[in-house]
Amino acid sequence: MTRIDDTFARLKSDGKKAFVAYVMAGDPDYDRSLEIVKGLPGAGVDIIEMGLPFTDPMADGPTIQMAGQRALAGGQTLERTLQMARDFREGDTTTPIVMMGYYNPIYSRGVDRFLADAKEAGIDGLIVVDLPPEEDDELCIPAQRAGLNFIRLATPTTDDKRLPKVLQNTSGFVYYVSITGITGAAEARADTVAPEVARIKAKTDLPVIVGFGVRSPESSAAIAGIADGVVVGSAIVGEIAKGRSASEVLAVVKSLADGAHSV
């Protein structure tokens, strides 16, 4: 059982939905990013998605691309992202952290070394968007052997033939991408997402969490109402980009979390 598994078991027992917040590690700089990350649980965040900045983020829209550029310009690296997890763990040993990013930095570090370091730093799960199921031996299976969840994305184009392959070695939860395209591109609609969530849940016992295109407390509530939880990224990262203080960013996060927890 990972912290992710424990969190979903607790939420289910309490009759609650999960609120997952994405932030780019190191945006706008290390200290302010860490301050925000440390404040997320108090703002109602059940699971933290910590973005690993990368130079070619093909799944991300402009908001998160720019966050990655700011972080890289500030000297954020894979090592500093692991250190951010360590620093967070000094004050919080229960909130799950999922590292989300691309395979190149992990490959460059070496899979075995990365997994050992991630586990030691307090990372609980991985979302690596450019590794398909056909490459599970590369990272997914070693990660699970190391005690980390490997979370897979399902999308509107994941048909019934493809879905079993996507679910095959997934653990922790399934991340359903509510729109076709990049992050922040469109608003998620509960009426179109609901049948897709039901289709996935018919094939797995894992929680199904919906992300991409959730921007307001109202849409957070609507999406959480038809899934096991909701992920918000671009709306939070956009507040950081405006130069908001940590307390201002966390107030926005709380409003989004309250939306998800209201159903």
Side-chain angles (χ1 to χ4, degrees):
M1 293 282 286
T2 65
R3 291 185 186 95
I4 297 170
D5 300 324
D6 288 342
T7 294
F8 279 111
R10 173 180 54 79
L11 289 168
K12 185 176 182 180
S13 176
D14 293 343
K16 285 187 171 183
K17 303 300 181 75
F19 181 74
V20 184
Y22 171 96
V23 291
M24 180 67 72
D27 175 38
D29 57 55
Y30 188 92
D31 291 340
R32 282 183 285 178
S33 181
L34 179 60
E35 183 182 2
I36 291 167
V37 169
K38 284 183 173 181
L40 292 175
V45 173
D46 299 300
I47 298 173
I48 297 168
E49 270 187 30
M50 187 180 289
L52 175 61
F54 182 52
T55 53
D56 188 23
M58 60 187 179
D60 296 318
T63 299
I64 292 183
Q65 284 188 28
M66 293 300 294
Q69 290 179 21
R70 290 190 298 270
L72 291 169
Q76 192 71 10
T77 61
L78 173 54
E79 178 54 43
R80 284 171 66 82
T81 302
L82 291 169
Q83 186 59 46
M84 186 170 288
R86 295 185 191 102
D87 291 343
F88 174 82
R89 285 284 173 235
E90 289 180 1
D92 188 313
T93 60
T94 57
T95 305
I97 300 175
V98 175
M99 183 181 286
M100 184 172 186
Y102 298 83
Y103 185 46
N104 184 278
I106 297 170
Y107 177 81
S108 297
R109 191 178 187 87
V111 167
D112 291 343
R113 180 186 173 198
F114 167 76
L115 291 174
D117 291 345
K119 185 71 174 175
E120 175 271 330
I123 302 294
D124 303 289
L126 302 174
I127 300 174
V128 182
V129 299
D130 54 348
L131 273 183
E134 287 75 13
E135 305 296 335
D136 274 357
D137 289 339
E138 191 80 16
L139 181 63
C140 171
I141 291 173
Q144 303 212 65
R145 287 176 181 156
L148 280 76
N149 290 126
F150 197 90
I151 296 141
R152 188 81 67 194
L153 304 181
T155 75
T157 60
T158 305
D159 61 20
D160 289 338
K161 182 178 180 181
R162 180 66 173 169
L163 184 59
K165 189 73 173 175
V166 169
L167 297 175
Q168 183 174 300
N169 291 314
T170 298
S171 65
F173 60 91
V174 179
Y175 187 139
Y176 180 69
V177 176
S178 65
I179 58 174
T180 302
I182 54 176
T183 58
E187 187 85 17
R189 290 175 53 90
D191 56 344
T192 57
V193 171
E196 293 300 299
V197 170
R199 181 170 68 93
I200 296 168
K201 289 181 73 65
K203 301 294 184 181
T204 181
D205 292 330
L206 291 171
V208 178
I209 308 302
V210 176
F212 285 47
V214 180
R215 300 174 179 170
S216 66
E218 293 76 20
S219 60
S220 180
I223 295 298
I226 52 89
D228 297 301
V230 62
V231 184
V232 179
S234 293
I236 297 169
V237 172
E239 293 300 307
I240 296 170
K242 294 174 185 175
R244 308 288 195 213
S245 67
S247 60
E248 289 172 325
V249 172
L250 293 169
V252 172
V253 172
K254 185 177 187 305
S255 70
L256 293 159
D258 287 348
H261 292 148
S262 68
V263 297

